[in-house]
Amino acid sequence: DTAVSQTPKYLVTQMGNDKSIKCEQNLGHDTMYWYKQDSKKFLKIMFSYNNKELIINETVPNRFSPKSPDKAHLNLHINSLELGDSAVYFCASSQDFGTGVYNEQFFGPGTRLTVL
Amino acid sequence: RKEVEQDPGPFNVPEGATVAFNCTYSNSASQSFFWYRQDCRKEPKLLMSVYSSGNEDGRFTAQLNRASQYISLLIRDSKLSDSATYLCVVGGGGSSNTGKLIFGQGTTLQVKP
């Protein structure tokens, strides 16, 4: 059973389109995250939610909008896609928020987004 | 200056070698430290947390030097399966602990037969 799952795994789309990526975790965790890993391999936090409440909202374009319908799901909607949005997007979850050594973050397999 | 800096490598070593990776971080108020491992085209996975007193897990030893803001990972008796990118990760350091982790660029290790 996959602990953190994302769909789709690959997404190829044209500039200007709107797309969504879905994430689900079955670990019973309260906190979920979205990360972006660019071509230089830097992994950067975009958003986090704790029990459906927004906790972290990094400086990302407002074309990116996360939605958490319940604590097991965190989706990412992207409007008006741009070439620079091409990256791998990882969802993650942890028991709660906080960076204690007890609070391991578990990552999904990633969604490879290519904008043409 | 990057918040977490690592030498990207690659480090090419023979099987059985001992290899060390280093990492520096800029925020002296950081509170938690980790090494994650990322295989090619896969997700990152926690390798080990790093404690102030240093800690060991089998062939892996992690050290933290808060005064120098420096973290290290030592791998002894390298195996082919150790080939991966090792990400230095630092957390906390803000006025509220929101769970924000800062990832280094990663150091790539290639173990050769």
Side-chain angles (χ1 to χ4, degrees), chain A residues 58-107:
Chain A
E58 288 293 288
T59 308
V60 298
N62 58 14
R63 298 182 294 102
F64 289 79
S65 53
K67 281 192 171 51
S68 182
D70 55 62
K71 70 177 191 178
H73 295 84
L74 180 62
N75 304 322
L76 183 65
H77 188 75
I78 315 170
N79 287 329
S80 303
L81 277 155
E82 299 177 357
L83 294 177
D85 297 333
S86 296
V88 182
Y89 292 84
F90 286 101
C91 177
S93 74
S94 62
Q95 186 62 55
D96 55 36
F97 68 92
T99 55
V101 293
Y102 61 90
N103 202 29
E104 179 181 351
Q105 292 188 18
F106 294 82
F107 285 78

Side-chain angles (χ1 to χ4, degrees), chain A residues 33 35 37 40 42-43 45 55-56 58 90 97-101 104-105 107-109 112, chain B residues 2 32 34 36 38 41-44 46 49 51 91-92 97-101 103-105:
Chain A
Y33 310 81
Y35 286 87
Q37 188 168 41
K40 293 184 178 174
F42 278 102
L43 194 64
I45 183 76
I55 301 295
I56 296 174
E58 288 293 288
F90 286 101
F97 68 92
T99 55
V101 293
E104 179 181 351
Q105 292 188 18
F107 285 78
R112 189 169 296 271
Chain B
K2 296 189 185 81
S32 52
F34 310 89
Y36 273 70
Q38 186 172 22
R41 301 180 78 86
K42 297 284 190 181
E43 71 272 22
L46 179 66
S49 303
Y51 301 107
N97 192 354
T98 58
K100 180 177 175 181
L101 296 180
F103 285 73
Q105 186 180 7

Side-chain angles (χ1 to χ4, degrees), chain B residues 4-7 20-24 32-38 44-51 55 60-64 70-74 85-90 103-104 106-107:
Chain B
V4 178
E5 288 208 63
Q6 296 180 250
D7 178 350
F21 305 138
N22 303 318
C23 163
T24 56
S32 52
F33 309 90
F34 310 89
W35 284 100
Y36 273 70
R37 169 187 169 139
Q38 186 172 22
K45 292 184 179 176
L46 179 66
L47 177 67
M48 58 197 300
S49 303
V50 186
Y51 301 107
N55 48 298
F60 299 84
T61 300
Q63 298 277 355
L64 169 64
Y70 171 98
I71 308 160
S72 66
L73 177 68
L74 183 77
T85 296
Y86 291 84
L87 304 169
C88 177
V89 184
V90 173
F103 285 73
T107 298

